[in-house]
PDB file of all heavy atoms in Angstrom:
ATOM      1  N   GLY A 135       8.957  -8.580 -23.601  1.00 97.00           N
ATOM      2  CA  GLY A 135       8.330  -9.821 -23.539  1.00 97.00           C
ATOM      3  C   GLY A 135       7.847 -10.352 -22.250  1.00 97.00           C
ATOM      4  O   GLY A 135       7.739 -11.461 -21.929  1.00 97.00           O
ATOM      5  N   ILE A 136       7.461  -9.351 -21.430  1.00 96.00           N
ATOM      6  CA  ILE A 136       6.892  -9.830 -20.054  1.00 96.00           C
ATOM      7  C   ILE A 136       5.589  -9.197 -19.719  1.00 96.00           C
ATOM      8  O   ILE A 136       5.173  -9.039 -18.595  1.00 96.00           O
ATOM      9  CB  ILE A 136       7.857  -9.299 -18.970  1.00 96.00           C
ATOM     10  CG1 ILE A 136       8.257  -7.867 -19.113  1.00 96.00           C
ATOM     11  CG2 ILE A 136       9.245  -9.980 -19.015  1.00 96.00           C
ATOM     12  CD1 ILE A 136       9.016  -7.204 -17.876  1.00 96.00           C
ATOM     13  N   LEU A 137       4.750  -8.850 -20.732  1.00 94.00           N
ATOM     14  CA  LEU A 137       3.415  -8.420 -20.437  1.00 94.00           C
ATOM     15  C   LEU A 137       2.523  -9.346 -19.718  1.00 94.00           C
ATOM     16  O   LEU A 137       1.806  -8.768 -18.791  1.00 94.00           O
ATOM     17  CB  LEU A 137       2.708  -8.090 -21.798  1.00 94.00           C
ATOM     18  CG  LEU A 137       1.334  -7.532 -21.807  1.00 94.00           C
ATOM     19  CD1 LEU A 137       1.392  -6.185 -21.062  1.00 94.00           C
ATOM     20  CD2 LEU A 137       0.741  -7.402 -23.222  1.00 94.00           C
ATOM     21  N   ASP A 138       2.797 -10.607 -19.833  1.00 92.00           N
ATOM     22  CA  ASP A 138       2.052 -11.594 -18.941  1.00 92.00           C
ATOM     23  C   ASP A 138       2.618 -11.747 -17.621  1.00 92.00           C
ATOM     24  O   ASP A 138       2.131 -12.365 -16.694  1.00 92.00           O
ATOM     25  CB  ASP A 138       2.073 -13.021 -19.611  1.00 92.00           C
ATOM     26  CG  ASP A 138       3.435 -13.513 -19.842  1.00 92.00           C
ATOM     27  OD1 ASP A 138       4.434 -12.783 -19.640  1.00 92.00           O
ATOM     28  OD2 ASP A 138       3.631 -14.787 -19.982  1.00 92.00           O
ATOM     29  N   ARG A 139       3.731 -10.923 -17.295  1.00 95.00           N
ATOM     30  CA  ARG A 139       4.253 -10.925 -15.888  1.00 95.00           C
ATOM     31  C   ARG A 139       4.080  -9.574 -15.270  1.00 95.00           C
ATOM     32  O   ARG A 139       4.529  -9.242 -14.297  1.00 95.00           O
ATOM     33  CB  ARG A 139       5.778 -11.149 -16.000  1.00 95.00           C
ATOM     34  CG  ARG A 139       6.175 -12.598 -16.616  1.00 95.00           C
ATOM     35  CD  ARG A 139       6.087 -13.531 -15.562  1.00 95.00           C
ATOM     36  NE  ARG A 139       6.986 -13.345 -14.457  1.00 95.00           N
ATOM     37  CZ  ARG A 139       7.148 -14.256 -13.385  1.00 95.00           C
ATOM     38  NH1 ARG A 139       6.215 -15.191 -13.256  1.00 95.00           N
ATOM     39  NH2 ARG A 139       8.044 -13.987 -12.371  1.00 95.00           N
ATOM     40  N   LYS A 140       3.059  -8.805 -15.798  1.00 96.00           N
ATOM     41  CA  LYS A 140       2.708  -7.452 -15.217  1.00 96.00           C
ATOM     42  C   LYS A 140       2.245  -7.709 -13.757  1.00 96.00           C
ATOM     43  O   LYS A 140       1.540  -8.484 -13.359  1.00 96.00           O
ATOM     44  CB  LYS A 140       1.583  -6.856 -16.001  1.00 96.00           C
ATOM     45  CG  LYS A 140       1.346  -5.415 -15.508  1.00 96.00           C
ATOM     46  CD  LYS A 140       0.193  -4.770 -16.498  1.00 96.00           C
ATOM     47  CE  LYS A 140       0.033  -3.322 -16.164  1.00 96.00           C
ATOM     48  NZ  LYS A 140      -0.798  -2.630 -16.984  1.00 96.00           N
ATOM     49  N   GLY A 141       2.850  -6.932 -12.899  1.00 95.00           N
ATOM     50  CA  GLY A 141       2.582  -7.132 -11.547  1.00 95.00           C
ATOM     51  C   GLY A 141       3.709  -7.720 -10.682  1.00 95.00           C
ATOM     52  O   GLY A 141       3.818  -7.578  -9.513  1.00 95.00           O
ATOM     53  N   PHE A 142       4.601  -8.615 -11.417  1.00 96.00           N
ATOM     54  CA  PHE A 142       5.684  -9.209 -10.941  1.00 96.00           C
ATOM     55  C   PHE A 142       6.793  -8.338 -10.758  1.00 96.00           C
ATOM     56  O   PHE A 142       6.828  -7.262 -11.424  1.00 96.00           O
ATOM     57  CB  PHE A 142       6.033 -10.488 -11.715  1.00 96.00           C
ATOM     58  CG  PHE A 142       4.991 -11.611 -11.680  1.00 96.00           C
ATOM     59  CD1 PHE A 142       3.917 -11.735 -12.393  1.00 96.00           C
ATOM     60  CD2 PHE A 142       5.289 -12.640 -10.684  1.00 96.00           C
ATOM     61  CE1 PHE A 142       3.041 -12.698 -12.296  1.00 96.00           C
ATOM     62  CE2 PHE A 142       4.506 -13.729 -10.498  1.00 96.00           C
ATOM     63  CZ  PHE A 142       3.371 -13.729 -11.387  1.00 96.00           C
ATOM     64  N   PRO A 143       7.749  -8.548  -9.950  1.00 94.00           N
ATOM     65  CA  PRO A 143       8.849  -7.615  -9.704  1.00 94.00           C
ATOM     66  C   PRO A 143       9.509  -6.989 -10.918  1.00 94.00           C
ATOM     67  O   PRO A 143       9.883  -5.879 -11.014  1.00 94.00           O
ATOM     68  CB  PRO A 143       9.923  -8.419  -8.695  1.00 94.00           C
ATOM     69  CG  PRO A 143       9.050  -9.490  -8.071  1.00 94.00           C
ATOM     70  CD  PRO A 143       7.931  -9.734  -9.078  1.00 94.00           C
ATOM     71  N   GLU A 144       9.775  -7.811 -11.909  1.00 95.00           N
ATOM     72  CA  GLU A 144      10.441  -7.303 -13.157  1.00 95.00           C
ATOM     73  C   GLU A 144       9.658  -6.363 -13.976  1.00 95.00           C
ATOM     74  O   GLU A 144      10.156  -5.751 -14.935  1.00 95.00           O
ATOM     75  CB  GLU A 144      10.902  -8.615 -13.984  1.00 95.00           C
ATOM     76  CG  GLU A 144       9.634  -9.456 -14.588  1.00 95.00           C
ATOM     77  CD  GLU A 144       9.374 -10.608 -13.726  1.00 95.00           C
ATOM     78  OE1 GLU A 144       9.493 -10.432 -12.453  1.00 95.00           O
ATOM     79  OE2 GLU A 144       8.912 -11.573 -14.282  1.00 95.00           O
ATOM     80  N   SER A 145       8.255  -6.319 -13.684  1.00 97.00           N
ATOM     81  CA  SER A 145       7.507  -5.316 -14.408  1.00 97.00           C
ATOM     82  C   SER A 145       7.531  -3.849 -13.969  1.00 97.00           C
ATOM     83  O   SER A 145       6.973  -3.124 -14.495  1.00 97.00           O
ATOM     84  CB  SER A 145       6.004  -5.851 -14.547  1.00 97.00           C
ATOM     85  OG  SER A 145       5.455  -5.777 -13.132  1.00 97.00           O
ATOM     86  N   TYR A 146       8.265  -3.676 -12.827  1.00 96.00           N
ATOM     87  CA  TYR A 146       8.404  -2.457 -12.203  1.00 96.00           C
ATOM     88  C   TYR A 146       9.802  -1.746 -12.470  1.00 96.00           C
ATOM     89  O   TYR A 146      10.827  -2.477 -12.588  1.00 96.00           O
ATOM     90  CB  TYR A 146       8.177  -2.382 -10.692  1.00 96.00           C
ATOM     91  CG  TYR A 146       6.791  -2.680 -10.255  1.00 96.00           C
ATOM     92  CD1 TYR A 146       6.351  -4.027 -10.031  1.00 96.00           C
ATOM     93  CD2 TYR A 146       5.901  -1.595 -10.055  1.00 96.00           C
ATOM     94  CE1 TYR A 146       5.060  -4.226  -9.739  1.00 96.00           C
ATOM     95  CE2 TYR A 146       4.624  -1.860  -9.624  1.00 96.00           C
ATOM     96  CZ  TYR A 146       4.141  -3.156  -9.494  1.00 96.00           C
ATOM     97  OH  TYR A 146       2.844  -3.431  -9.030  1.00 96.00           O
ATOM     98  N   ASP A 147       9.809  -0.598 -12.671  1.00 95.00           N
ATOM     99  CA  ASP A 147      11.130   0.105 -12.934  1.00 95.00           C
ATOM    100  C   ASP A 147      11.655   0.461 -11.403  1.00 95.00           C
ATOM    101  O   ASP A 147      11.408   1.549 -10.894  1.00 95.00           O
ATOM    102  CB  ASP A 147      10.936   1.470 -13.649  1.00 95.00           C
ATOM    103  CG  ASP A 147      12.211   2.103 -13.992  1.00 95.00           C
ATOM    104  OD1 ASP A 147      13.217   1.815 -13.435  1.00 95.00           O
ATOM    105  OD2 ASP A 147      12.267   3.067 -14.902  1.00 95.00           O
ATOM    106  N   MET A 148      12.179  -0.522 -10.708  1.00 92.00           N
ATOM    107  CA  MET A 148      12.621  -0.386  -9.383  1.00 92.00           C
ATOM    108  C   MET A 148      13.674   0.617  -9.254  1.00 92.00           C
ATOM    109  O   MET A 148      13.848   1.274  -8.157  1.00 92.00           O
ATOM    110  CB  MET A 148      13.084  -1.792  -8.872  1.00 92.00           C
ATOM    111  CG  MET A 148      11.837  -2.749  -8.857  1.00 92.00           C
ATOM    112  SD  MET A 148      10.599  -2.205  -7.684  1.00 92.00           S
ATOM    113  CE  MET A 148      11.282  -2.663  -6.125  1.00 92.00           C
ATOM    114  N   GLU A 149      14.582   0.740 -10.291  1.00 90.00           N
ATOM    115  CA  GLU A 149      15.638   1.673 -10.065  1.00 90.00           C
ATOM    116  C   GLU A 149      15.080   3.065 -10.056  1.00 90.00           C
ATOM    117  O   GLU A 149      15.596   3.880  -9.186  1.00 90.00           O
ATOM    118  CB  GLU A 149      16.527   1.532 -11.293  1.00 90.00           C
ATOM    119  CG  GLU A 149      17.855   2.561 -11.312  1.00 90.00           C
ATOM    120  CD  GLU A 149      18.753   2.410 -12.491  1.00 90.00           C
ATOM    121  OE1 GLU A 149      18.522   1.319 -13.217  1.00 90.00           O
ATOM    122  OE2 GLU A 149      19.674   3.152 -12.555  1.00 90.00           O
ATOM    123  N   ARG A 150      14.054   3.398 -10.737  1.00 93.00           N
ATOM    124  CA  ARG A 150      13.432   4.638 -10.790  1.00 93.00           C
ATOM    125  C   ARG A 150      12.661   4.951  -9.353  1.00 93.00           C
ATOM    126  O   ARG A 150      12.770   5.971  -8.881  1.00 93.00           O
ATOM    127  CB  ARG A 150      12.338   4.723 -11.888  1.00 93.00           C
ATOM    128  CG  ARG A 150      11.740   6.112 -12.037  1.00 93.00           C
ATOM    129  CD  ARG A 150      11.015   6.243 -13.260  1.00 93.00           C
ATOM    130  NE  ARG A 150      10.458   7.660 -13.461  1.00 93.00           N
ATOM    131  CZ  ARG A 150       9.818   8.102 -14.493  1.00 93.00           C
ATOM    132  NH1 ARG A 150       9.419   7.274 -15.597  1.00 93.00           N
ATOM    133  NH2 ARG A 150       9.368   9.405 -14.588  1.00 93.00           N
ATOM    134  N   LEU A 151      12.062   3.827  -8.839  1.00 94.00           N
ATOM    135  CA  LEU A 151      11.410   4.062  -7.532  1.00 94.00           C
ATOM    136  C   LEU A 151      12.359   4.289  -6.504  1.00 94.00           C
ATOM    137  O   LEU A 151      12.116   5.171  -5.743  1.00 94.00           O
ATOM    138  CB  LEU A 151      10.637   2.669  -7.403  1.00 94.00           C
ATOM    139  CG  LEU A 151       9.921   2.629  -5.930  1.00 94.00           C
ATOM    140  CD1 LEU A 151       9.020   3.727  -5.680  1.00 94.00           C
ATOM    141  CD2 LEU A 151       9.242   1.226  -5.754  1.00 94.00           C
ATOM    142  N   THR A 152      13.499   3.604  -6.429  1.00 92.00           N
ATOM    143  CA  THR A 152      14.572   3.792  -5.454  1.00 92.00           C
ATOM    144  C   THR A 152      15.033   5.206  -5.551  1.00 92.00           C
ATOM    145  O   THR A 152      15.408   5.933  -4.663  1.00 92.00           O
ATOM    146  CB  THR A 152      15.694   2.764  -5.552  1.00 92.00           C
ATOM    147  OG1 THR A 152      15.146   1.456  -5.689  1.00 92.00           O
ATOM    148  CG2 THR A 152      16.603   2.918  -4.540  1.00 92.00           C
ATOM    149  N   ASP A 153      15.318   5.678  -6.837  1.00 93.00           N
ATOM    150  CA  ASP A 153      15.862   6.948  -7.075  1.00 93.00           C
ATOM    151  C   ASP A 153      14.770   8.037  -6.622  1.00 93.00           C
ATOM    152  O   ASP A 153      15.295   8.957  -5.959  1.00 93.00           O
ATOM    153  CB  ASP A 153      16.117   7.272  -8.667  1.00 93.00           C
ATOM    154  CG  ASP A 153      16.815   8.439  -8.826  1.00 93.00           C
ATOM    155  OD1 ASP A 153      17.918   8.647  -8.461  1.00 93.00           O
ATOM    156  OD2 ASP A 153      16.237   9.391  -9.655  1.00 93.00           O
ATOM    157  N   PHE A 154      13.555   7.756  -6.833  1.00 96.00           N
ATOM    158  CA  PHE A 154      12.594   8.671  -6.389  1.00 96.00           C
ATOM    159  C   PHE A 154      12.578   8.844  -4.745  1.00 96.00           C
ATOM    160  O   PHE A 154      12.492   9.980  -4.213  1.00 96.00           O
ATOM    161  CB  PHE A 154      11.155   8.218  -6.758  1.00 96.00           C
ATOM    162  CG  PHE A 154       9.962   8.803  -5.988  1.00 96.00           C
ATOM    163  CD1 PHE A 154       9.667  10.067  -6.227  1.00 96.00           C
ATOM    164  CD2 PHE A 154       9.411   8.001  -5.026  1.00 96.00           C
ATOM    165  CE1 PHE A 154       8.553  10.681  -5.553  1.00 96.00           C
ATOM    166  CE2 PHE A 154       8.147   8.541  -4.459  1.00 96.00           C
ATOM    167  CZ  PHE A 154       7.881   9.855  -4.674  1.00 96.00           C
ATOM    168  N   LEU A 155      12.609   7.696  -4.068  1.00 95.00           N
ATOM    169  CA  LEU A 155      12.598   7.786  -2.619  1.00 95.00           C
ATOM    170  C   LEU A 155      13.854   8.450  -2.096  1.00 95.00           C
ATOM    171  O   LEU A 155      13.841   9.204  -1.085  1.00 95.00           O
ATOM    172  CB  LEU A 155      12.680   6.343  -2.128  1.00 95.00           C
ATOM    173  CG  LEU A 155      11.277   5.509  -2.392  1.00 95.00           C
ATOM    174  CD1 LEU A 155      11.417   4.071  -1.948  1.00 95.00           C
ATOM    175  CD2 LEU A 155      10.157   6.199  -1.565  1.00 95.00           C
ATOM    176  N   TYR A 156      15.067   8.276  -2.884  1.00 94.00           N
ATOM    177  CA  TYR A 156      16.150   8.966  -2.421  1.00 94.00           C
ATOM    178  C   TYR A 156      16.049  10.557  -2.469  1.00 94.00           C
ATOM    179  O   TYR A 156      16.396  11.233  -1.546  1.00 94.00           O
ATOM    180  CB  TYR A 156      17.345   8.501  -3.301  1.00 94.00           C
ATOM    181  CG  TYR A 156      18.630   9.253  -3.055  1.00 94.00           C
ATOM    182  CD1 TYR A 156      19.573   8.911  -1.939  1.00 94.00           C
ATOM    183  CD2 TYR A 156      19.126  10.275  -3.923  1.00 94.00           C
ATOM    184  CE1 TYR A 156      20.694   9.644  -1.748  1.00 94.00           C
ATOM    185  CE2 TYR A 156      20.238  11.138  -3.711  1.00 94.00           C
ATOM    186  CZ  TYR A 156      20.971  10.689  -2.613  1.00 94.00           C
ATOM    187  OH  TYR A 156      22.154  11.387  -2.326  1.00 94.00           O
ATOM    188  N   HIS A 157      15.416  11.035  -3.563  1.00 96.00           N
ATOM    189  CA  HIS A 157      15.401  12.356  -3.713  1.00 96.00           C
ATOM    190  C   HIS A 157      14.258  12.937  -2.906  1.00 96.00           C
ATOM    191  O   HIS A 157      14.404  14.144  -2.380  1.00 96.00           O
ATOM    192  CB  HIS A 157      14.969  12.786  -5.273  1.00 96.00           C
ATOM    193  CG  HIS A 157      16.202  12.495  -6.160  1.00 96.00           C
ATOM    194  ND1 HIS A 157      17.334  13.221  -6.133  1.00 96.00           N
ATOM    195  CD2 HIS A 157      16.365  11.520  -7.088  1.00 96.00           C
ATOM    196  CE1 HIS A 157      18.227  12.901  -7.060  1.00 96.00           C
ATOM    197  NE2 HIS A 157      17.687  11.843  -7.648  1.00 96.00           N
ATOM    198  N   VAL A 158      13.333  12.246  -2.503  1.00 97.00           N
ATOM    199  CA  VAL A 158      12.357  12.662  -1.494  1.00 97.00           C
ATOM    200  C   VAL A 158      13.041  12.915  -0.163  1.00 97.00           C
ATOM    201  O   VAL A 158      12.780  13.865   0.530  1.00 97.00           O
ATOM    202  CB  VAL A 158      11.102  11.679  -1.323  1.00 97.00           C
ATOM    203  CG1 VAL A 158      10.218  12.091  -0.274  1.00 97.00           C
ATOM    204  CG2 VAL A 158      10.323  11.753  -2.634  1.00 97.00           C
ATOM    205  N   LYS A 159      13.820  11.858   0.132  1.00 95.00           N
ATOM    206  CA  LYS A 159      14.552  12.026   1.466  1.00 95.00           C
ATOM    207  C   LYS A 159      15.416  13.190   1.534  1.00 95.00           C
ATOM    208  O   LYS A 159      15.646  13.880   2.600  1.00 95.00           O
ATOM    209  CB  LYS A 159      15.345  10.706   1.795  1.00 95.00           C
ATOM    210  CG  LYS A 159      14.611   9.594   2.367  1.00 95.00           C
ATOM    211  CD  LYS A 159      14.167  10.001   3.831  1.00 95.00           C
ATOM    212  CE  LYS A 159      13.593   8.723   4.500  1.00 95.00           C
ATOM    213  NZ  LYS A 159      13.105   8.951   5.832  1.00 95.00           N
ATOM    214  N   GLU A 160      15.913  13.578   0.300  1.00 94.00           N
ATOM    215  CA  GLU A 160      16.823  14.801   0.230  1.00 94.00           C
ATOM    216  C   GLU A 160      16.165  16.017   0.214  1.00 94.00           C
ATOM    217  O   GLU A 160      16.737  17.074   0.273  1.00 94.00           O
ATOM    218  CB  GLU A 160      17.574  14.645  -1.110  1.00 94.00           C
ATOM    219  CG  GLU A 160      18.668  13.612  -1.066  1.00 94.00           C
ATOM    220  CD  GLU A 160      19.928  14.000  -0.339  1.00 94.00           C
ATOM    221  OE1 GLU A 160      20.667  14.969  -0.618  1.00 94.00           O
ATOM    222  OE2 GLU A 160      20.043  13.384   0.950  1.00 94.00           O
ATOM    223  N   GLY A 161      14.764  15.953   0.209  1.00 94.00           N
ATOM    224  CA  GLY A 161      13.790  17.199   0.227  1.00 94.00           C
ATOM    225  C   GLY A 161      13.725  17.809  -1.119  1.00 94.00           C
ATOM    226  O   GLY A 161      13.422  18.991  -1.119  1.00 94.00           O
ATOM    227  N   GLU A 162      13.885  17.107  -2.122  1.00 95.00           N
ATOM    228  CA  GLU A 162      13.816  17.734  -3.547  1.00 95.00           C
ATOM    229  C   GLU A 162      12.430  17.325  -4.114  1.00 95.00           C
ATOM    230  O   GLU A 162      11.709  16.475  -3.822  1.00 95.00           O
ATOM    231  CB  GLU A 162      14.950  16.984  -4.387  1.00 95.00           C
ATOM    232  CG  GLU A 162      16.308  17.132  -3.896  1.00 95.00           C
ATOM    233  CD  GLU A 162      17.391  16.442  -4.709  1.00 95.00           C
ATOM    234  OE1 GLU A 162      17.070  15.822  -5.663  1.00 95.00           O
ATOM    235  OE2 GLU A 162      18.448  16.252  -4.205  1.00 95.00           O
ATOM    236  N   LYS A 163      12.086  18.186  -5.114  1.00 95.00           N
ATOM    237  CA  LYS A 163      10.832  17.984  -5.834  1.00 95.00           C
ATOM    238  C   LYS A 163      10.954  16.776  -6.856  1.00 95.00           C
ATOM    239  O   LYS A 163      12.064  16.690  -7.362  1.00 95.00           O
ATOM    240  CB  LYS A 163      10.463  19.302  -6.779  1.00 95.00           C
ATOM    241  CG  LYS A 163      10.119  20.508  -5.973  1.00 95.00           C
ATOM    242  CD  LYS A 163       9.667  21.594  -6.818  1.00 95.00           C
ATOM    243  CE  LYS A 163       9.271  22.856  -5.994  1.00 95.00           C
ATOM    244  NZ  LYS A 163       8.851  23.961  -6.978  1.00 95.00           N
ATOM    245  N   CYS A 164       9.863  16.165  -6.991  1.00 96.00           N
ATOM    246  CA  CYS A 164       9.988  14.855  -7.760  1.00 96.00           C
ATOM    247  C   CYS A 164       8.689  14.731  -8.612  1.00 96.00           C
ATOM    248  O   CYS A 164       7.556  15.143  -8.128  1.00 96.00           O
ATOM    249  CB  CYS A 164      10.081  13.608  -6.958  1.00 96.00           C
ATOM    250  SG  CYS A 164      11.685  13.536  -5.989  1.00 96.00           S
ATOM    251  N   GLN A 165       8.748  14.143  -9.702  1.00 95.00           N
ATOM    252  CA  GLN A 165       7.620  13.861 -10.669  1.00 95.00           C
ATOM    253  C   GLN A 165       7.370  12.374 -10.606  1.00 95.00           C
ATOM    254  O   GLN A 165       8.357  11.612 -10.801  1.00 95.00           O
ATOM    255  CB  GLN A 165       7.943  14.340 -12.069  1.00 95.00           C
ATOM    256  CG  GLN A 165       7.957  15.821 -12.237  1.00 95.00           C
ATOM    257  CD  GLN A 165       6.725  16.487 -12.381  1.00 95.00           C
ATOM    258  OE1 GLN A 165       5.642  15.967 -12.306  1.00 95.00           O
ATOM    259  NE2 GLN A 165       6.687  17.824 -12.265  1.00 95.00           N
TER     260      GLN A 165
END
Side-chain angles (χ1 to χ4, degrees):
I136 55 171
L137 184 59
D138 61 340
R139 296 281 293 176
K140 188 172 184 176
F142 286 86
E144 63 267 30
S145 66
Y146 289 89
D147 190 343
M148 295 296 281
E149 184 176 350
R150 185 172 184 177
L151 175 56
T152 305
D153 188 62
F154 162 73
L155 292 172
Y156 174 81
H157 288 294
V158 170
K159 275 293 188 185
E160 287 285 292
E162 301 172 11
K163 290 184 182 181
C164 300
Q165 297 277 355

